[in-house]
Amino acid sequence: MAAEYKAGGIKVVCPHCKEEVFQEGKAQLNTAVATFFNLDWANRSVHTLTCVSCGNIQWFAGPLEKI
């Protein structure tokens, strides 16, 4: 479900189109070494926000707050 978010106490706004509504997701930060040894599961994950208007994706390593 699309929503508005804050990251670090600041409202997230799309830098491309200025939209304020996003779809939340997750992405894994794969490394070549972990992939080589088939240990992708050990890599860190981050939050992603995809703009519902233009599709721009922003990545956040810290927590997000849905508002």
Side-chain angles (χ1 to χ4, degrees), residues 4-5 9 14-15 20 24 30 32-35 38-39 42 45 51 66:
E4 295 181 9
Y5 292 86
C14 178
E20 297 179 352
E24 185 176 1
N30 290 345
V33 172
T35 299
N38 200 27
L39 297 172
S45 292
C51 176
K66 191 182 284 190

Side-chain angles (χ1 to χ4, degrees), residues 8-43:
I10 301 169
K11 187 171 185 176
V12 179
V13 178
C14 178
H16 181 71
C17 71
K18 309 303 183 224
E19 177 64 66
E20 297 179 352
V21 179
F22 298 87
Q23 192 73 36
E24 185 176 1
K26 284 199 168 214
Q28 196 169 21
L29 301 175
N30 290 345
T31 61
V33 172
T35 299
F36 180 78
F37 290 107
N38 200 27
L39 297 172
D40 287 321
W41 57 268
N43 285 316

